[in-house]
Amino acid sequence: MTVLEDRIAMADDSGELTLDVMFETLEKMPIPEGTKVEIVGGNIFMSPQRQHHWEIIADIYEQLRAKYARKLLASDVRIDFPGHLNGFACDVAAMTDRSVKDSKGRWRYQDVEFVAEVISKDTAANDYGPKKLAYAVADVPVYLIADPYQGRCHIFTHPKDGDYATETKIAFGDAVDLTDTVVGLTLKTDEFPRD
């Protein structure tokens, strides 16, 4: 049993397993630089950042700067979402103008109005499954998945009853029109690399 598994097992046995306990334990581990760490449904996922992945994240971030102040954007920053032990590190998240951080200095999921996730092979099931569900339950108005393997974006809007009512698919190279959403922008995808 690893130190992490031992610490988490002890916390779980005492009924005190929380995201804070899990992340505090992870912070003490020798995790390689550039590795994204998040907790989805109580499971820990670690994945190294790939160049194509980063290029898409950076492109989305730069385009969002046309509307959002830098202080209202986050990338790979822990945000706790509804559901059992969901501490996500969204590839890109945009907050409302009225956003306030919680008592621990973290963004509140209630203030997230846009999330973008760029698919990695090892964690794609999370982005299309439990994370999509958590974003819908949290009423995140716009969830965009950029999938470099498919060469397309999936845009989910109109969260209702724990799911998104609308899904739109846009091929890389075509514009993602979000002008009728809270985002109010059109994102270009012509420079998104494919894997």
Side-chain angles (χ1 to χ4, degrees), residues 103-126:
S103 61
K104 296 179 181 178
R106 294 191 198 116
W107 291 112
R108 301 171 338 122
Y109 75 83
Q110 296 91 334
D111 294 334
V112 177
E113 62 183 23
F114 171 84
V115 169
E117 297 286 5
V118 181
I119 296 298
S120 294
K121 282 185 180 180
D122 294 340
T123 58
N126 288 338

mmCIF file of all heavy atoms in Angstrom, residues 103-126:
data_model
loop_
_atom_site.group_PDB
_atom_site.id
_atom_site.type_symbol
_atom_site.label_atom_id
_atom_site.label_comp_id
_atom_site.label_asym_id
_atom_site.label_seq_id
_atom_site.Cartn_x
_atom_site.Cartn_y
_atom_site.Cartn_z
ATOM 1 N N SER A 103 -14.214 30.706 1.453
ATOM 2 C CA SER A 103 -13.377 31.038 2.612
ATOM 3 C C SER A 103 -11.963 30.464 2.512
ATOM 4 O O SER A 103 -11.062 30.916 3.208
ATOM 5 C CB SER A 103 -14.046 30.535 3.898
ATOM 6 O OG SER A 103 -14.188 29.121 3.845
ATOM 7 N N LYS A 104 -11.763 29.491 1.619
ATOM 8 C CA LYS A 104 -10.433 28.897 1.428
ATOM 9 C C LYS A 104 -9.720 29.505 0.214
ATOM 10 O O LYS A 104 -8.672 29.019 -0.195
ATOM 11 C CB LYS A 104 -10.548 27.385 1.271
ATOM 12 C CG LYS A 104 -11.073 26.707 2.523
ATOM 13 C CD LYS A 104 -11.207 25.217 2.331
ATOM 14 C CE LYS A 104 -11.765 24.597 3.611
ATOM 15 N NZ LYS A 104 -11.960 23.162 3.468
ATOM 16 N N GLY A 105 -10.316 30.539 -0.378
ATOM 17 C CA GLY A 105 -9.701 31.200 -1.521
ATOM 18 C C GLY A 105 -9.892 30.469 -2.837
ATOM 19 O O GLY A 105 -9.171 30.711 -3.799
ATOM 20 N N ARG A 106 -10.889 29.591 -2.895
ATOM 21 C CA ARG A 106 -11.151 28.821 -4.112
ATOM 22 C C ARG A 106 -12.378 29.358 -4.833
ATOM 23 O O ARG A 106 -13.314 29.867 -4.215
ATOM 24 C CB ARG A 106 -11.402 27.350 -3.769
ATOM 25 C CG ARG A 106 -10.187 26.665 -3.212
ATOM 26 C CD ARG A 106 -10.421 25.153 -3.139
ATOM 27 N NE ARG A 106 -9.458 24.597 -2.230
ATOM 28 C CZ ARG A 106 -9.765 24.006 -1.078
ATOM 29 N NH1 ARG A 106 -11.010 23.852 -0.705
ATOM 30 N NH2 ARG A 106 -8.811 23.531 -0.312
ATOM 31 N N TRP A 107 -12.368 29.184 -6.162
ATOM 32 C CA TRP A 107 -13.544 29.538 -6.947
ATOM 33 C C TRP A 107 -14.696 28.633 -6.550
ATOM 34 O O TRP A 107 -14.513 27.456 -6.257
ATOM 35 C CB TRP A 107 -13.271 29.348 -8.441
ATOM 36 C CG TRP A 107 -12.289 30.319 -9.009
ATOM 37 C CD1 TRP A 107 -11.043 30.036 -9.472
ATOM 38 C CD2 TRP A 107 -12.471 31.722 -9.188
ATOM 39 N NE1 TRP A 107 -10.435 31.175 -9.923
ATOM 40 C CE2 TRP A 107 -11.290 32.232 -9.758
ATOM 41 C CE3 TRP A 107 -13.514 32.608 -8.916
ATOM 42 C CZ2 TRP A 107 -11.126 33.576 -10.069
ATOM 43 C CZ3 TRP A 107 -13.353 33.944 -9.216
ATOM 44 C CH2 TRP A 107 -12.172 34.410 -9.787
ATOM 45 N N ARG A 108 -15.876 29.189 -6.561
ATOM 46 C CA ARG A 108 -17.097 28.432 -6.280
ATOM 47 C C ARG A 108 -17.700 27.968 -7.595
ATOM 48 O O ARG A 108 -17.754 28.738 -8.560
ATOM 49 C CB ARG A 108 -18.114 29.312 -5.556
ATOM 50 C CG ARG A 108 -17.619 29.868 -4.243
ATOM 51 C CD ARG A 108 -18.539 30.926 -3.616
ATOM 52 N NE ARG A 108 -19.433 31.582 -4.550
ATOM 53 C CZ ARG A 108 -20.768 31.585 -4.439
ATOM 54 N NH1 ARG A 108 -21.366 30.966 -3.448
ATOM 55 N NH2 ARG A 108 -21.521 32.214 -5.323
ATOM 56 N N TYR A 109 -18.170 26.746 -7.647
ATOM 57 C CA TYR A 109 -18.752 26.231 -8.885
ATOM 58 C C TYR A 109 -19.969 27.048 -9.312
ATOM 59 O O TYR A 109 -20.287 27.140 -10.495
ATOM 60 C CB TYR A 109 -19.088 24.740 -8.772
ATOM 61 C CG TYR A 109 -20.319 24.420 -7.943
ATOM 62 C CD1 TYR A 109 -21.592 24.492 -8.499
ATOM 63 C CD2 TYR A 109 -20.204 24.036 -6.609
ATOM 64 C CE1 TYR A 109 -22.723 24.195 -7.754
ATOM 65 C CE2 TYR A 109 -21.324 23.735 -5.869
ATOM 66 C CZ TYR A 109 -22.580 23.822 -6.432
ATOM 67 O OH TYR A 109 -23.692 23.535 -5.698
ATOM 68 N N GLN A 110 -20.643 27.676 -8.360
ATOM 69 C CA GLN A 110 -21.828 28.473 -8.684
ATOM 70 C C GLN A 110 -21.489 29.673 -9.567
ATOM 71 O O GLN A 110 -22.371 30.249 -10.203
ATOM 72 C CB GLN A 110 -22.509 28.976 -7.400
ATOM 73 C CG GLN A 110 -23.063 27.881 -6.534
ATOM 74 C CD GLN A 110 -22.081 27.366 -5.481
ATOM 75 O OE1 GLN A 110 -20.869 27.445 -5.650
ATOM 76 N NE2 GLN A 110 -22.620 26.821 -4.400
ATOM 77 N N ASP A 111 -20.225 30.074 -9.608
ATOM 78 C CA ASP A 111 -19.801 31.239 -10.385
ATOM 79 C C ASP A 111 -19.203 30.884 -11.741
ATOM 80 O O ASP A 111 -18.812 31.764 -12.497
ATOM 81 C CB ASP A 111 -18.785 32.061 -9.589
ATOM 82 C CG ASP A 111 -19.404 32.677 -8.342
ATOM 83 O OD1 ASP A 111 -20.627 32.906 -8.328
ATOM 84 O OD2 ASP A 111 -18.661 32.916 -7.374
ATOM 85 N N VAL A 112 -19.120 29.590 -12.055
ATOM 86 C CA VAL A 112 -18.543 29.161 -13.332
ATOM 87 C C VAL A 112 -19.611 29.264 -14.412
ATOM 88 O O VAL A 112 -20.694 28.709 -14.277
ATOM 89 C CB VAL A 112 -18.018 27.708 -13.243
ATOM 90 C CG1 VAL A 112 -17.487 27.246 -14.595
ATOM 91 C CG2 VAL A 112 -16.951 27.585 -12.160
ATOM 92 N N GLU A 113 -19.298 29.994 -15.503
ATOM 93 C CA GLU A 113 -20.269 30.092 -16.587
ATOM 94 C C GLU A 113 -19.793 29.441 -17.878
ATOM 95 O O GLU A 113 -20.560 29.303 -18.819
ATOM 96 C CB GLU A 113 -20.713 31.533 -16.824
ATOM 97 C CG GLU A 113 -19.664 32.502 -17.243
ATOM 98 C CD GLU A 113 -20.221 33.925 -17.379
ATOM 99 O OE1 GLU A 113 -21.258 34.258 -16.756
ATOM 100 O OE2 GLU A 113 -19.616 34.707 -18.123
ATOM 101 N N PHE A 114 -18.531 29.025 -17.910
ATOM 102 C CA PHE A 114 -17.995 28.351 -19.096
ATOM 103 C C PHE A 114 -16.872 27.423 -18.656
ATOM 104 O O PHE A 114 -16.028 27.794 -17.838
ATOM 105 C CB PHE A 114 -17.430 29.382 -20.082
ATOM 106 C CG PHE A 114 -16.670 28.777 -21.231
ATOM 107 C CD1 PHE A 114 -17.336 28.313 -22.361
ATOM 108 C CD2 PHE A 114 -15.290 28.659 -21.196
ATOM 109 C CE1 PHE A 114 -16.638 27.754 -23.435
ATOM 110 C CE2 PHE A 114 -14.571 28.103 -22.247
ATOM 111 C CZ PHE A 114 -15.247 27.652 -23.368
ATOM 112 N N VAL A 115 -16.879 26.218 -19.201
ATOM 113 C CA VAL A 115 -15.779 25.269 -18.989
ATOM 114 C C VAL A 115 -15.389 24.688 -20.337
ATOM 115 O O VAL A 115 -16.257 24.359 -21.153
ATOM 116 C CB VAL A 115 -16.180 24.116 -18.036
ATOM 117 C CG1 VAL A 115 -15.124 23.012 -18.041
ATOM 118 C CG2 VAL A 115 -16.387 24.614 -16.619
ATOM 119 N N ALA A 116 -14.087 24.572 -20.556
ATOM 120 C CA ALA A 116 -13.571 23.858 -21.726
ATOM 121 C C ALA A 116 -12.654 22.754 -21.228
ATOM 122 O O ALA A 116 -11.817 22.985 -20.351
ATOM 123 C CB ALA A 116 -12.799 24.793 -22.657
ATOM 124 N N GLU A 117 -12.838 21.570 -21.764
ATOM 125 C CA GLU A 117 -11.946 20.444 -21.490
ATOM 126 C C GLU A 117 -11.403 19.965 -22.829
ATOM 127 O O GLU A 117 -12.154 19.864 -23.808
ATOM 128 C CB GLU A 117 -12.683 19.296 -20.799
ATOM 129 C CG GLU A 117 -13.250 19.622 -19.428
ATOM 130 C CD GLU A 117 -12.209 19.728 -18.318
ATOM 131 O OE1 GLU A 117 -10.994 19.636 -18.604
ATOM 132 O OE2 GLU A 117 -12.616 19.911 -17.160
ATOM 133 N N VAL A 118 -10.104 19.698 -22.867
ATOM 134 C CA VAL A 118 -9.463 19.153 -24.060
ATOM 135 C C VAL A 118 -9.203 17.681 -23.779
ATOM 136 O O VAL A 118 -8.578 17.334 -22.775
ATOM 137 C CB VAL A 118 -8.152 19.898 -24.393
ATOM 138 C CG1 VAL A 118 -7.519 19.329 -25.654
ATOM 139 C CG2 VAL A 118 -8.422 21.403 -24.554
ATOM 140 N N ILE A 119 -9.690 16.841 -24.653
ATOM 141 C CA ILE A 119 -9.650 15.398 -24.434
ATOM 142 C C ILE A 119 -8.228 14.848 -24.448
ATOM 143 O O ILE A 119 -7.430 15.179 -25.312
ATOM 144 C CB ILE A 119 -10.474 14.677 -25.527
ATOM 145 C CG1 ILE A 119 -11.945 15.073 -25.431
ATOM 146 C CG2 ILE A 119 -10.303 13.162 -25.466
ATOM 147 C CD1 ILE A 119 -12.613 14.703 -24.140
ATOM 148 N N SER A 120 -7.955 13.997 -23.463
ATOM 149 C CA SER A 120 -6.767 13.152 -23.439
ATOM 150 C C SER A 120 -7.273 11.722 -23.508
ATOM 151 O O SER A 120 -8.334 11.413 -22.942
ATOM 152 C CB SER A 120 -5.977 13.346 -22.149
ATOM 153 O OG SER A 120 -5.447 14.632 -22.075
ATOM 154 N N LYS A 121 -6.545 10.851 -24.158
ATOM 155 C CA LYS A 121 -7.017 9.465 -24.305
ATOM 156 C C LYS A 121 -7.331 8.814 -22.965
ATOM 157 O O LYS A 121 -8.341 8.132 -22.822
ATOM 158 C CB LYS A 121 -5.978 8.626 -25.056
ATOM 159 C CG LYS A 121 -5.993 8.855 -26.537
ATOM 160 C CD LYS A 121 -5.041 7.921 -27.255
ATOM 161 C CE LYS A 121 -5.089 8.191 -28.751
ATOM 162 N NZ LYS A 121 -4.213 7.331 -29.499
ATOM 163 N N ASP A 122 -6.466 9.020 -21.980
ATOM 164 C CA ASP A 122 -6.625 8.331 -20.703
ATOM 165 C C ASP A 122 -7.792 8.842 -19.865
ATOM 166 O O ASP A 122 -8.284 8.134 -18.992
ATOM 167 C CB ASP A 122 -5.338 8.426 -19.885
ATOM 168 C CG ASP A 122 -4.196 7.669 -20.537
ATOM 169 O OD1 ASP A 122 -4.457 6.779 -21.372
ATOM 170 O OD2 ASP A 122 -3.024 7.976 -20.211
ATOM 171 N N THR A 123 -8.224 10.087 -20.089
ATOM 172 C CA THR A 123 -9.274 10.652 -19.244
ATOM 173 C C THR A 123 -10.511 11.088 -20.029
ATOM 174 O O THR A 123 -11.387 11.755 -19.486
ATOM 175 C CB THR A 123 -8.735 11.849 -18.441
ATOM 176 O OG1 THR A 123 -8.230 12.828 -19.348
ATOM 177 C CG2 THR A 123 -7.635 11.415 -17.467
ATOM 178 N N ALA A 124 -10.610 10.721 -21.293
ATOM 179 C CA ALA A 124 -11.745 11.122 -22.135
ATOM 180 C C ALA A 124 -13.079 10.690 -21.531
ATOM 181 O O ALA A 124 -14.066 11.443 -21.575
ATOM 182 C CB ALA A 124 -11.593 10.547 -23.542
ATOM 183 N N ALA A 125 -13.125 9.499 -20.968
ATOM 184 C CA ALA A 125 -14.382 9.006 -20.390
ATOM 185 C C ALA A 125 -14.883 9.929 -19.280
ATOM 186 O O ALA A 125 -16.094 10.108 -19.129
ATOM 187 C CB ALA A 125 -14.202 7.585 -19.868
ATOM 188 N N ASN A 126 -13.972 10.532 -18.524
ATOM 189 C CA ASN A 126 -14.379 11.482 -17.477
ATOM 190 C C ASN A 126 -15.035 12.719 -18.075
ATOM 191 O O ASN A 126 -16.064 13.190 -17.594
ATOM 192 C CB ASN A 126 -13.177 11.928 -16.635
ATOM 193 C CG ASN A 126 -12.671 10.850 -15.721
ATOM 194 O OD1 ASN A 126 -13.385 9.912 -15.387
ATOM 195 N ND2 ASN A 126 -11.428 10.972 -15.312
#
